[in-house]
Amino acid sequence: MESKKDKDNEPECARITNGLLKSRTGEFDLESILFLKLRGLGIYDLGCIGECINLERLDLSGNNITNLAPLASLRLLVVLNLSANRISNLEPISSCESLQSLNVAGNLICSPDNLHALKSLRKLEIIRLKDNTYNYTNPVCKNSSYRNILLEMFPNIKVLDGERVVGRGSDLYQLCKDIDDTIKDVLHECRLLNSRASHAISQTERSLGLKNQPKQYAV
């Protein structure tokens, strides 16, 4: 059940207005806003956010957003967090040509086809569709091959769902894995050699024991 405080805040925050942006940032010129955090405010209408044309980082997580059209003018946006909303269409942000990191975990993206519009974003390196920490996901994540599809769709991607897939991080992981596999092989060989040596020693001791036994004569 909603509290009175929640209901009182809802009309003010349901739509992004000049007043909301100025009160949150202290900036009177919307073009001066570089970083903006509007998390969990019940927003469903992005309103005038498109006027913040110099925005570089934007957090709109935990709202009720469905329409991303006002974001199309944010050409300098580098980091965008849209997790825990109601988004199914990502096409408007295909114009955010500087975008490097996109978090859309916990939305309504049903198919890899919904991500095709983002293929033009050459700088996009980080995509999150699933976040196990908060139990956020998307219907597309039920497709067992969605990760492979996305990696093929976005060849420059470095991090998918919080896991590094290329770059120094993955190279180090692969190197460590190779070293670990090599160590396992060496240990296996050592065990075999130890087993053979133990067998040889046992055989030698048995042979020496037989030679050293006193001769027995029949009476």
Side-chain angles (χ1 to χ4, degrees), residues 17 19 42 68-69 83 93 110 126 133 138 161-162 171 182 187-188 203:
T17 62
L68 300 179
S83 62
I93 60 176
C110 297
I126 302 172
T133 302
N138 279 276
D161 294 340
D171 291 344
T182 301
L187 287 175
H188 180 65
Q203 290 289 95

Side-chain angles (χ1 to χ4, degrees), residues 11-126:
E12 178 185 357
C13 300
R15 176 184 172 84
I16 295 179
T17 62
N18 283 4
L20 175 62
L21 295 176
K22 291 174 182 178
S23 67
R24 286 272 165 174
T25 63
E27 298 283 355
F28 287 92
D29 181 4
L30 299 188
E31 294 186 10
S32 299
I33 301 174
L34 301 180
F35 310 104
L36 187 56
K37 184 176 180 179
L38 299 173
R39 176 184 293 179
L41 298 179
I43 296 168
Y44 62 82
D45 187 337
L46 293 177
C48 64
I49 200 168
E51 296 177 31
C52 305
I53 57 174
N54 291 310
L55 259 181
E56 295 178 5
R57 293 175 175 267
L58 176 59
D59 185 350
L60 290 167
S61 60
N63 287 292
N64 295 309
I65 299 164
T66 58
N67 182 12
L68 300 179
L71 300 183
S73 60
L74 306 182
R75 303 299 178 99
L76 301 181
L77 195 62
V78 176
V79 178
L80 177 59
N81 186 349
L82 293 167
S83 62
N85 277 281
R86 299 166 57 196
I87 298 161
S88 59
N89 181 14
L90 297 172
E91 188 169 356
I93 60 176
S94 63
S95 300
C96 302
E97 56 194 30
S98 301
L99 196 63
Q100 296 178 19
S101 175
L102 174 64
N103 185 347
V104 287
N107 279 279
L108 303 174
I109 299 169
C110 297
S111 165
D113 294 340
N114 298 123
L115 297 161
H116 271 294
L118 306 183
K119 290 180 68 176
S120 61
L121 299 177
R122 301 300 179 189
K123 296 181 180 181
L124 189 60
E125 297 179 341
I126 302 172

Side-chain angles (χ1 to χ4, degrees), residues 163-208:
E163 297 181 7
R164 188 172 289 276
V165 292
V166 300
R168 290 188 301 171
S170 63
D171 291 344
L172 178 60
Y173 170 79
Q174 187 60 46
L175 177 61
C176 291
K177 185 176 182 300
D178 291 343
I179 291 173
D180 185 54
D181 290 342
T182 301
I183 291 173
K184 287 179 180 178
D185 290 340
V186 170
L187 287 175
H188 180 65
E189 289 296 324
C190 288
R191 290 192 188 98
L192 288 176
L193 290 172
N194 183 62
S195 177
R196 290 170 184 168
S198 297
H199 181 69
I201 291 171
S202 177
Q203 290 289 95
T204 302
E205 289 177 342
R206 185 180 301 172
S207 176
L208 289 173

